[in-house]
Amino acid sequence: MKSTETYSDKISRLQLALQEADAVVIGAGAGLSTSAGFVYTGERFEKYFSDFADKYHFKDMYSGGFYPFETLEEHWAYWSRYIYINRYMNAPKSVYEELYDLVRDKDYFVLTTNVDHCFQKAGFDKRRLFYTQGDYGLFQCSVPCHRATYDNEDTIRRMVEAQGYVIGKDGTLVLLDGITPEMKVPSELVPYCPECGAPMSMNLRADNTFVEDEGWHVAAEHYSEFLRRHQNMRVLFLELAVGFNTPTIVKYSFWRMTHDWPDATYVCLNYGEAYAPDEIKRRSICINGDIGEILSMLESQNH
């Protein structure tokens, strides 16, 4: 009973903090998409990558993304499936939509290391989003010889269809009965840089070849300006499922600003890693649990 009351009390405190906040800064990590059903292992991995798993013996999508395939045709067969199901298909659960309902009437901004575009698909204003680590929906030159990115939706769709998949009316990827998917794409679909002719790569921050294009810099400036305008107000820093792979982008910066800004509140929602340092604990709300469940509880209290 004590544990239940404590959990409920934290939910109520968070509800009040959201109501009183002048602005909300959301910092989102990979666990938010996991809560929404974008998992990279298990049944979902087996459904779309069992052929690659059988041939190369990796056991999750993430590991497969680093595999040194011998040809670009096979590389893009794997990556086109990967990109399509994690960027162009909708998440199985409505976690992002519930989050949007929670903040849609607030002055908000989103800082995220996620690259799956779920925020915009849920209705968040793209001018209030900063994707720091790239976007599954963009190609870039692998060199890179120039600092531009290119939308890849049409090419990715053609790649998955060339492997034998059918895209349903609801956007889902379907393999018809009796069809064995190709593990390569036609050579004419392999993307090359229009400037230097080098192979294209994904616009993902994996090393120093990552392209920060014009849109990236505009979003970075929007975020900086949002912080400048609100630093003397009641700001709620809402950290959602951020781990310690890249803690400096969201977690450490949120801790620092909460410490430095007298009217700021820090909220950490995380499954197993809800924590705040001693210096800001008095102005922190840390809830250990599944974010989807926490958002549902908040939504039910609103009604």
Side-chain angles (χ1 to χ4, degrees):
M1 177 62 70
K2 182 179 179 181
S3 174
T4 302
E5 290 175 347
T6 301
Y7 191 84
S8 178
D9 181 60
K10 288 181 177 180
I11 295 289
S12 296
R13 286 176 56 207
L14 174 53
Q15 183 74 47
L16 181 61
L18 282 165
Q19 291 172 357
E20 294 181 342
D22 297 315
V24 178
V25 182
I26 296 170
L32 181 61
S33 289
T34 300
S35 180
F38 271 176
V39 292
Y40 285 20
T41 58
E43 182 180 345
R44 195 163 176 264
F45 171 66
E46 288 294 327
K47 180 176 181 179
Y48 297 106
F49 298 100
S50 59
D51 50 353
F52 281 95
D54 289 343
K55 183 175 181 179
Y56 295 111
H57 310 296
F58 45 73
K59 302 188 183 303
D60 61 79
M61 294 183 216
Y62 189 74
S63 300
F66 290 97
Y67 194 87
F69 297 107
E70 289 188 4
T71 68
L72 288 172
E73 287 80 3
E74 193 173 17
H75 170 90
W76 284 112
Y78 182 85
W79 268 98
S80 60
R81 295 187 208 174
Y82 187 117
I83 295 162
Y84 188 84
I85 67 170
N86 292 308
R87 172 64 167 75
Y88 296 112
M89 278 175 53
N90 290 328
K93 301 177 184 177
S94 59
V95 172
Y96 280 88
E97 288 78 8
E98 291 174 10
L99 177 61
Y100 179 58
D101 287 341
L102 198 65
V103 301
R104 64 190 306 167
D105 296 326
K106 306 293 293 187
D107 195 0
Y108 70 84
F109 201 96
V110 176
L111 173 71
T112 182
T113 56
N114 294 347
V115 294
D116 51 27
H117 212 64
C118 284
F119 280 103
Q120 277 179 254
K121 286 193 287 186
F124 285 81
D125 183 349
K126 67 179 182 179
R127 293 166 298 183
R128 294 171 176 262
L129 294 172
F130 181 20
Y131 292 96
T132 64
Q133 306 297 80
D135 184 345
Y136 281 148
L138 298 175
F139 289 146
Q140 65 163 74
C141 175
S142 60
V143 175
C145 72
H146 64 302
R147 316 301 293 182
T149 57
Y150 302 85
D151 290 340
N152 65 23
E153 182 173 5
D154 180 64
T155 300
I156 294 300
R157 285 174 174 267
R158 291 165 64 196
M159 284 180 178
V160 296
E161 288 173 339
Q163 293 176 70
Y165 286 92
V166 175
I167 297 174
K169 290 182 179 180
D170 59 354
T172 56
L173 206 58
V174 179
L175 190 64
L176 299 180
D177 291 342
I179 298 294
T180 300
E182 290 283 342
M183 295 175 64
K184 60 182 180 179
V185 301
S187 297
E188 60 267 23
L189 291 182
V190 173
Y192 292 93
C193 175
E195 299 292 332
C196 72
M200 296 290 257
S201 62
M202 292 305 303
N203 182 233
L204 305 174
R205 191 187 298 277
D207 54 34
N208 61 4
T209 64
F210 175 68
V211 167
E212 296 175 355
D213 64 6
E214 182 180 357
W216 189 98
H217 287 284
V218 168
E221 180 54 36
H222 285 171
Y223 179 56
S224 296
E225 178 59 25
F226 187 90
L227 295 177
R228 283 194 292 270
R229 287 191 290 108
H230 293 89
Q231 61 182 335
N232 294 317
M233 300 182 185
R234 291 174 297 184
V235 176
L236 179 71
F237 289 101
L238 180 58
E239 180 191 303
L240 304 172
V242 174
F244 281 91
N245 285 336
T246 53
T248 57
I249 296 170
V250 175
K251 188 180 292 290
Y252 292 170
S253 66
F254 279 19
W255 288 357
R256 176 181 53 78
M257 287 185 286
T258 302
H259 179 270
D260 293 344
W261 297 7
D263 293 321
T265 300
Y266 171 70
V267 176
C268 179
L269 309 184
N270 207 321
Y271 194 79
E273 294 184 355
Y275 165 82
D278 291 340
E279 291 84 352
I280 61 171
K281 272 189 177 177
R282 184 176 55 85
R283 291 188 283 126
S284 299
I285 303 170
C286 298
I287 304 177
N288 185 357
D290 178 77
I291 289 177
E293 295 177 4
I294 295 171
L295 293 176
S296 294
M297 291 181 69
L298 286 167
E299 188 175 30
S300 65
Q301 286 195 11
N302 281 337
H303 297 92

